[in-house]
Amino acid sequence: MESVFREERGRLLASLVRRFGDLDLAEEVTSEAVEAALVHWPVEGVPARPGAWLLTTARRKAVDHLRRDQACAARLAILRVEADRADPAPPADADGGLVDDRLQLFFTCAHPALAPADRTALTLRCLAGLTTPEVARAFLVPTATMAQRIVRAKKKIREARIPFRVPGADELPERLPGVLQVIYSIFTEGYAASSGPRLQRPDLAEEAIRLAQILRRLLPAEREVCGLLALMLLTHARRDARTGPHGELVLLDDQDRGRWDRTMIEEGRALVVTALTAGPPGPYGVQAAIAALHDEAADLATTDWPQIVALYDVLLALTPSPVVELNRAVAVAMRDGPEAGLALLDGLADEQRLRGHHPYPAARGDLLHRLGRRPEAATAYREALDLAGTDPERAHLRAKLAEVERPGAAGDAGG
């Protein structure tokens, strides 16, 4: 039953939102339908078409709500007329739902009129099915703060009359990147938490992957959807090796690659091929190709660093960014030596976006350490330590700092 609810909730909610045009009402009757299932199914058995059962039950409960609240019913009627004029109803599928309901909800939750943080919160709440306290924990904010954020997003949708619809073919190229960015933001917070006691939140990363899988089924021809899914699978495949027995950070070169999820890697590699064929590459496809090269290598030394640098060059042309330049500089250091990489990093010293980004001084510290410039490495590690957000990252940086400050310690000059 839990598996059914998890799979059907987003689809059910999306169908109700399109039918009634109100997120609050849809959420309320979705919960009531699930509660009804918890009463009836243990006695009567899970129906052959659980999604259709839940949808029928929820629709009846929505009608009951509207009968009790005539003012709400009148307002929704007006909204439905407007929506139907702009976006005629799509055909029903075999379960009585609408084929692209979830896709409509994706684009509504990630509408550019909403603040970026609100888009991510609403996507987690509506499409991933997390409760408001769970979304709050994901962002490490009080539940009341997150509740206000979600209410604000819903109010914006209602007052701005943001339509529950899939953008037309002419709008899709402009709108799809925003949807993909929301999903990737969720994954990034799961893969490398911004703060807190743990390095990663696998639950968030897995929700992002699940959302991307749904989106790919809904938009099978969009190669960047495929690229994003590939990138997340290839990255998440390393999750078990990224931390030690006590949650400590384990760097890529120290990871036990035997613990990487080979099934996930093979799926990701196949998706990379799809993402990079039949047209110019997109940013997610290129990043996925970089991740695939890391996952294919037996160890750090045999990684194809020249190809990784070349792919970063392509990525920079597609999406110029100081963060991409930072990652490219680290790859250049692996290809050409620490001095070459450090020269590139020093050229980024004035980039505002890197000022609060702890991987930048951490990378400088590592390269300075390899060059034997211990006092400078210590300064860089202290800067990174002040910026790091999670306990495992801080513990790792404290250990690196102690290493370069230890009397008699030697750097790996030229390594």
Side-chain angles (χ1 to χ4, degrees):
M1 287 173 63
E2 182 180 351
S3 174
V4 168
F5 294 152
R6 184 179 184 83
E7 180 64 25
E8 294 292 342
R9 185 191 179 281
R11 192 165 176 272
L12 174 62
L13 182 65
S15 292
L16 293 165
V17 166
R18 191 186 191 286
R19 173 67 182 84
F20 297 103
D22 188 288
L23 266 173
D24 288 323
L25 176 64
E27 283 195 297
E28 188 169 353
V29 297
T30 293
S31 297
E32 290 178 6
V34 170
E35 289 172 6
L38 289 171
V39 172
H40 292 282
W41 291 3
V43 177
E44 303 167 4
V46 177
R49 293 162 55 195
W53 190 100
L54 288 167
L55 182 58
T56 299
T57 303
R59 281 176 172 168
R60 288 173 180 162
K61 291 183 178 295
V63 170
D64 290 341
H65 277 268
L66 294 175
R67 283 174 179 161
R68 293 194 299 267
D69 188 346
Q70 292 301 315
C72 178
R75 180 173 60 82
L76 290 180
I78 294 170
L79 291 175
R80 287 304 311 144
V81 169
E82 292 176 349
D84 289 341
R85 284 174 179 164
D87 183 31
D93 67 11
D95 283 340
L98 298 172
V99 175
D100 59 359
D101 283 342
R102 283 177 298 182
L103 189 56
Q104 293 171 356
L105 197 51
F106 266 113
F107 281 95
T108 301
C109 290
H111 196 279
L114 302 176
D118 295 354
R119 295 177 211 164
T120 305
L122 200 60
T123 301
L124 283 171
R125 179 73 186 91
C126 295
L127 281 158
L130 274 64
T131 65
T132 299
E134 287 172 333
V135 179
R137 283 197 296 274
F139 286 92
L140 299 171
V141 299
T143 299
T145 301
M146 184 52 65
Q148 290 173 354
R149 188 176 293 176
I150 293 172
V151 167
R152 182 174 66 232
K154 291 178 181 178
K155 183 179 180 183
K156 179 72 173 179
I157 289 172
R158 184 170 58 251
E159 293 183 348
R161 296 193 177 180
I162 292 172
F164 293 94
R165 67 178 181 84
V166 180
D170 57 332
E171 299 174 277
L172 196 60
E174 181 182 355
R175 292 282 306 281
L176 183 59
V179 175
L180 299 182
Q181 182 57 54
V182 166
I183 296 175
Y184 192 45
S185 296
I186 295 169
F187 177 80
T188 301
E189 184 63 28
Y191 174 76
S194 55
S195 58
R198 292 185 291 170
L199 179 70
Q200 41 187 359
R201 285 282 312 276
D203 55 335
L204 277 184
E206 286 157 13
E207 281 299 339
I209 289 171
R210 191 173 71 87
L211 291 172
Q213 289 168 334
I214 293 171
L215 193 60
R216 183 167 183 258
R217 289 197 296 270
L218 297 170
L219 292 172
E222 291 294 332
R223 293 186 302 119
E224 271 293 79
V225 175
C226 188
L228 175 61
L229 179 56
L231 171 61
M232 294 191 296
L233 288 171
L234 290 163
T235 306
H236 194 55
R238 310 175 206 145
R239 65 195 180 282
D240 292 340
R242 292 186 63 233
T243 53
H246 305 292
E248 64 272 20
L249 169 64
V250 180
L251 296 179
L252 185 64
D253 52 339
D254 297 322
Q255 289 176 19
D256 177 1
R257 299 186 180 217
R259 299 183 65 199
W260 290 1
D261 189 324
R262 290 294 156 186
T263 301
M264 198 173 286
I265 289 171
E266 289 308 310
E267 183 181 355
R269 289 177 65 194
L271 289 168
V272 170
V273 175
T274 303
L276 295 182
T277 53
Y284 290 113
V286 174
Q287 291 177 81
I290 293 170
L293 288 172
H294 283 297
D295 288 0
E296 292 165 2
D299 51 38
L300 205 68
T302 58
T303 302
D304 191 346
W305 294 108
Q307 180 66 13
I308 288 177
V309 172
L311 286 168
Y312 273 124
D313 289 338
V314 175
L315 187 59
L316 269 174
L318 292 170
T319 55
S321 158
V323 175
V324 175
E325 291 189 69
L326 162 61
N327 292 330
R328 180 184 180 277
V330 172
V332 168
M334 297 303 301
R335 183 190 68 179
D336 301 334
E339 198 161 355
L342 184 62
L344 293 174
L345 288 181
D346 287 345
L348 300 173
D350 294 330
E351 288 287 351
Q352 288 293 329
R353 286 183 57 187
L354 297 180
R355 291 287 172 87
H357 189 57
H358 88 269
Y360 175 69
R364 288 194 74 252
D366 288 341
L367 296 185
L368 289 164
H369 188 192
R370 287 171 61 186
L371 289 167
R373 294 161 58 176
R374 291 167 49 209
E376 293 170 89
T379 299
Y381 284 138
R382 288 192 199 96
E383 182 182 347
L385 186 56
D386 288 341
L387 296 172
T390 66
D391 294 348
E393 288 167 329
R394 285 191 290 268
H396 171 75
L397 289 165
R398 280 193 291 268
K400 299 292 286 186
L401 180 59
E403 185 179 345
V404 297
E405 289 184 328
R406 189 174 65 246
D412 297 324

